């Protein structure tokens, strides 16, 4: 599968686990100093990668198991809406 489609955990030529560690380090374990937004489902942080690329990363709030499906549907709707918006103040979704 990796040969055909590439590693599904690769983003911006980073291994997904390595990228996660970089995000944790860049935000000092999701410190409020790096918070740029907050909503019902999560908090958005500004992350500067070692490559110089700056990203917004959303960390979803943990929820009760019975709320997981509702949160997942809401999150999918949010991603779908944001992926269709083209505006200079919105970050491109990867």
């Amino acid at each position: 599968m990796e040969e055909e489609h590439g590693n599904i955990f690769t983003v911006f030529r980073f291994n997904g686990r390595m990228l996660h560690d970089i995000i944790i380090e860049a935000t000092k374990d999701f410190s409020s100093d790096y918070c740029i937004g907050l909503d019902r489902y999560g908090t958005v942080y500004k992350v500067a990668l070692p490559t110089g690329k700056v990203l917004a990363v959303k960390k979803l709030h943990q929820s009760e198991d019975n709320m997981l499906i509702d949160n997942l549907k809401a999150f999918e709707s949010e991603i779908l809406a944001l992926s269709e918006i083209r505006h200079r103040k919105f970050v491109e979704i990867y």
Side-chain angles (χ1 to χ4, degrees), residues 5-23:
H5 303 287
N7 186 338
I8 61 170
F9 296 107
T10 300
V11 180
F12 303 120
R13 298 186 196 150
F14 282 100
N15 173 284
R17 289 188 177 106
M18 186 175 89
L19 182 58
H20 177 264
D21 292 343
I22 290 169
I23 290 168

Side-chain angles (χ1 to χ4, degrees), residues 19-20 22-35 43-47 57-60:
L19 182 58
H20 177 264
I22 290 169
I23 290 168
I24 297 296
E25 184 179 328
T27 61
K28 293 185 172 73
D29 199 20
F30 295 107
S31 165
S32 61
D33 295 342
Y34 297 90
C35 177
T43 306
V44 180
Y45 298 88
K46 181 178 179 180
V47 178
V57 173
K58 185 169 193 172
K59 180 181 180 192
L60 298 178

